[in-house]
Amino acid sequence: MNTLSDVAIPEFGNWINGREEPLQNPMDSLNPYTQKVWARVNDGTVEDVDRAVKAARDAFENGPWSKMTATQRAELLRRLGDIIKRDAEELARIESTDNGKLYKEMLGQWQYLPEWFYYNAGLADKLQGDVIPSDRPNFMIYTRHEPIGVVGAITPWNSPGLLLIFKLAAGLAAGCTFVVKPSEHTPVSTIALARRIHEAGFPPGVFNVVNGQGSIGAALVSHPGVDKIAFTGATETGKRIAAEAAKNLTRVSLELGGKSPNIVFNDADLDVAANGAVAGIFAATGQTCMAGSRLLVQEDIHDAFVEKLVAKARTIRLGNPMDPSTEMGPCANVPQLNKVLEYISIAKQDGAKLACGGGVDPELGGLFVQPTIFTDVDNRMRIAREEVFGPILSVIRFKDEADAVRIANDTRFGLAAAVWTQNIHRGHRVAHQLRAGTVWINAYRVISFAAPFGGFGESGLGRENGMDAIREFTETKSVYVELSGAPRDPFKLG
Ligand code: NAD
């Protein structure tokens, strides 16, 4: 096993049954900033998936994990949280090198992620059932929330560590075991996490990682030994996964794409709102599921607000993601860059007006796209309906509150939304009408381990985070206990 510091190109094997396997079939991982190979992982096979699922099944049914109490599992979760806290800088460096997001953003994420383990450790031994007030005097009925079993977790490239831990912390607290298939574009941080899970003392087979292409994810979805698929990624992939999982009635939770509306009313603090609009679309190079990619601006402040925003967008510093003064990094990979550039031309063809940006940055080149703003966007245009996942903002005018809500909800997605207003009544009133899983009032892009996260409509199925997420990793069982000991009529129900 190599470490980042002792070889030029570090290698990371699959992690199966408590052991990092030697690299059989190397697959390169590129640094989007340098566009050079910086690490090699194993390009997994269907046979690897099968071995990993068997290891997870065995750990779930027979291994020491299956005999642990929830309190003992919680202790391991807390230890893992401590190790991640200790190693946050190293994990952030890996993530930033793999996906091109700013080191300072990745560091913030990894420093915050231990809280997911602490919070779910606290919940693990409070997952209690109920004693049901029974309508049958000679029966006591109670419920148990039992772990669902083996979870196949499939993650995207934008924040692989965060999006895995959303699933992992709750699933481990519930008593599940995992086989993870990270994105082929960002495979490294999940293996780095596996090493730390091992160090924390989780028994072999509880956490397994098989790297590889989408076909490896598909093999995991169709594997009969998997009880639940927890997926984060594109809506179209999510639909394919749901259809495939249905063949075995494998449970699914899906965290998918978005086209989130960021609504600025004429009574907002326009400087604060402009800052929020920038955070919504240009932070993380727009490569976040909750990007505020549709900016709805009330018509009487439209021109002044756009002017403010364009001035801000033009000052955004692009550069090396490791440099603390950089504000926007590159696109994460070549297919993503091509998709972003294609949508810029689609927007132009459909009649949107380019206010700033509009292509690859002339100085930096490579995968760097300029912060781009389109005005005169009609909500029916493709740039307003389809997820781009890049630094492209569509500005849409609205007349009044009803018009804003109508345009905001006119989408197949429903992941997030924001309202900017200084009128407290309007803020809540509009928030209640928006069809989205998360709504911010006078803020954007804030998350918490304690608040449920997920989408309406085609943005997903199920919720991660918060008190209820642990339930998504359980099955509920009702137990009936006969109290009289007398024989019952075998031909009568109940
Ligand atoms: P993607 O759907 O292309 O890939 C996600 C993962 O699925 C990868 O690991 C990939 O290898 C795997 N995969 C591909 N085809 C598969 C198949 N047929 N069966 C099983 N697995 C398969 O997504 P991406 O491009 O990596 O990520 C960007 C997308 O993720 C965007 O749409 C974004 O909105 C979404 N996303 C959603 C959230 C959320 O929480 N709602 C968070 C981040 C990203």
Side-chain angles (χ1 to χ4, degrees), residues 154-159 162-163 166-167 181-185 212-221 231-238 240-241 244 254-258 287-290 333 336 339 387 389 413 415 453-455 459-460 464:
I154 302 174
T155 51
W157 45 258
N158 60 322
S159 283
L162 174 103
L163 298 165
F166 278 14
K167 304 162 191 15
K181 206 303 276 180
S183 167
E184 55 276 31
H185 297 292
Q213 308 296 322
S215 58
I216 294 304
L220 191 55
V221 173
F231 172 75
T232 300
T235 291
E236 298 319 314
T237 316
R240 276 203 295 280
I241 287 176
E244 197 53 40
L254 304 171
E255 294 292 345
L256 308 175
Q287 300 174 132
T288 82
C289 52
M290 54 182 147
N333 50 65
Q336 191 54 34
K339 184 178 173 194
E387 185 184 46
F389 221 59
F413 297 109
L415 191 63
F453 183 77
S459 286
E464 296 184 328

Side-chain angles (χ1 to χ4, degrees), residues 8 73 75 90 113 120 152 180 184 191 233 235 252 268 374 456 466 485 490:
R73 292 199 300 270
E75 196 180 327
E90 169 78 350
L113 284 171
N120 282 283
V180 186
E184 55 276 31
I191 298 291
T235 291
V252 286
F374 282 104
F456 284 35

Side-chain angles (χ1 to χ4, degrees), residues 299-354:
E299 58 188 5
D300 50 348
I301 53 154
H302 176 278
D303 293 355
F305 192 73
V306 167
E307 200 178 308
K308 223 180 246 300
L309 203 58
V310 167
K312 267 184 185 289
R314 289 209 168 109
T315 65
I316 293 174
R317 274 193 301 277
L318 277 60
N320 184 347
M322 299 302 290
D323 181 339
S325 67
T326 299
E327 294 174 321
M328 213 177 93
C331 288
N333 50 65
V334 173
Q336 191 54 34
L337 171 77
N338 292 337
K339 184 178 173 194
V340 169
L341 296 178
E342 192 188 337
Y343 271 100
I344 291 175
S345 33
I346 290 170
K348 286 182 187 161
Q349 279 160 24
D350 287 351
K353 201 170 127 206
L354 187 66

